[in-house]
Amino acid sequence: MKMKWALRAIAAYILFGLLMYWYLFYYADAALPAQYKGTAADPATFMSGRQLFLSEAYAKIRNLLFFLSVPYEWLFYFLVLVLGISKMFEQWAAAVSRIRLIQTAVYFFWFSLASFLFTFPFGYLSHRFSKAYGISTQDFAGWMKDELTDFWVNFAIMFAVVAVLYALMKKFRRKWWLPAWLLSIPFTVFMMFIQPVVIDPLYNDFYPLKDKALEAKILALAEKAQIPADHVYEVNMSEKTNALNAYVTGIGSNSRIVLWDTTLNRMDDKEILFVMAHEMGHYVEKHIYFGIAGYILMMLIGLWLIARWMNAVGRWMSGISSISSLPLFLLISSVLLFASSPLTNWASRYQEMRADRYAVQMTHDKKSGVETFQILTKAGLSEVNPPLLVKIFRYDHPTMLERIRMLEE
């Protein structure tokens, strides 16, 4: 019976994959509306024929990998549960020690390793295609180093989360979701506080911006926006990617303004100032705090739903407080995250558009804004007008068509 359910799940996944391939490669329409032909939003006006061809091909591959990787993760959780692999990991952990914390660590290590190996093909394919299309500049060794760093960072963070979560499940049984939610609030703030100074430096080298004249212009812009900032940081991303980025990260005294060196190499000062004004718009309009509040609210609803569904399914398991139920918890969590992504992406797109408007008001430089979006499109081989499903489930920023159109109009 278990094998039948496993085969059904695999067959459903293959069928879904074929359907998404048909949608993305044959049905979805990413053509630019006729009224925008020849405008600044038309990629034919700022991209070469080869760039247009690569952009279209790469977008389809990247979108297909996304829509295949999400249910692939669900398939892993389901198979680990239904085939008894999770129970086997729990038995291995119990054989190592009688101390519950050690059992949790052993179980979670085997589970994390199995998850890493199962999902590795998608990560590798994504890296290979990114390299083939000129986005990634990282060799396999460098990419693998980042993957292993990811594994251990996620293991350390998630082990702490899982250990506390299952201790609460044992203590509170049916109401565990409420104290779990209450504890998630300070944990979320703590992670945002340490991210720029503890986690980010594990992947890249951060140092003060070398171009002091540009730094002075950025800090003057920050002062005009009443943003407390003493330094602008540069990060050496060119050894990993040709993509461009800049951001403001962290909260409180650990907040940072960060520029990728690829952005510094590809944009002039006016374009960089537009990008930084956009990032400052998020700070001025307090998007980070709205984001934290929205995340905390969704966490409350999500944990309540997970608790209800786990209690319902727990009748056919040895009990939800058993660590072997972790794949069920993660399966429900992942499904809920995916189901809520249209809403969260819409909220994010709204905030990004507000930040774009703020950047125009701050710099009074619409021309540099348009050129910035064109450069970003070329650097990332981005779709200007992605298909509807792709936009709904993947885009947490407005499409380039929407951003350039807003500036022009």
Side-chain angles (χ1 to χ4, degrees), residues 203-219:
Y203 298 89
N204 298 100
D205 296 325
F206 291 79
Y207 38 85
L209 185 61
K210 297 172 186 175
D211 187 341
K212 295 305 176 184
L214 176 61
E215 182 181 48
K217 293 177 184 178
I218 294 172
L219 292 178

Side-chain angles (χ1 to χ4, degrees), residues 11-32:
Y13 174 75
I14 293 172
L15 182 62
F16 172 80
L18 292 172
L19 183 64
M20 288 310 305
Y21 179 83
W22 170 79
Y23 171 77
L24 292 170
F25 282 79
Y26 295 101
Y27 180 78
D29 182 16
L32 193 72

Side-chain angles (χ1 to χ4, degrees), residues 78-93:
F78 183 79
L79 293 178
V80 166
L81 272 176
V82 79
L83 295 178
I85 298 172
S86 183
K87 199 69 181 173
M88 181 179 69
F89 290 159
E90 185 180 37
Q91 291 168 355
W92 290 357

Side-chain angles (χ1 to χ4, degrees), residues 59 106 164 174 197 263 295 345 366 382:
V106 173
V164 171
R174 300 185 69 86
V197 294
T263 305
Y295 176 80
N345 285 343
K366 183 180 71 173
S382 305

Side-chain angles (χ1 to χ4, degrees), residues 47 84 119 171 181 214 228 263 280 292 298 303 347 353 356 359 378:
M47 296 175 76
T119 58
K171 184 174 180 62
W181 173 70
L214 176 61
T263 305
M280 292 172 190
I292 292 173
M298 291 192 69
L303 285 171
M353 191 65 84
D356 285 348
K378 288 189 288 185

Side-chain angles (χ1 to χ4, degrees), residues 294-336:
Y295 176 80
I296 290 171
L297 176 61
M298 291 192 69
M299 183 71 77
L300 174 63
I301 298 170
L303 285 171
W304 177 72
L305 288 173
I306 292 169
R308 286 181 63 88
W309 292 346
M310 286 189 74
N311 285 329
V313 178
R315 302 169 191 170
W316 292 276
M317 300 177 63
S318 57
I320 64 166
S321 61
S322 168
I323 190 66
S324 60
S325 70
L326 179 62
L328 176 62
F329 177 91
L330 294 175
L331 173 60
I332 298 172
S333 300
S334 183
V335 171
L336 287 175

Side-chain angles (χ1 to χ4, degrees), residues 276-293:
M276 296 317 301
H278 167 96
E279 297 303 329
M280 292 172 190
H282 289 304
Y283 182 94
V284 170
E285 299 209 355
K286 298 180 172 53
H287 290 164
I288 188 170
Y289 299 108
F290 284 119
I292 292 173

Side-chain angles (χ1 to χ4, degrees), residues 47 84 95 97 148 178 181 205 217 242 263 271 276 354 359 372:
M47 296 175 76
S97 173
L148 292 175
L178 186 55
W181 173 70
D205 296 325
K217 293 177 184 178
N242 285 318
T263 305
E271 291 157 354
M276 296 317 301
R354 294 278 302 178
T372 295

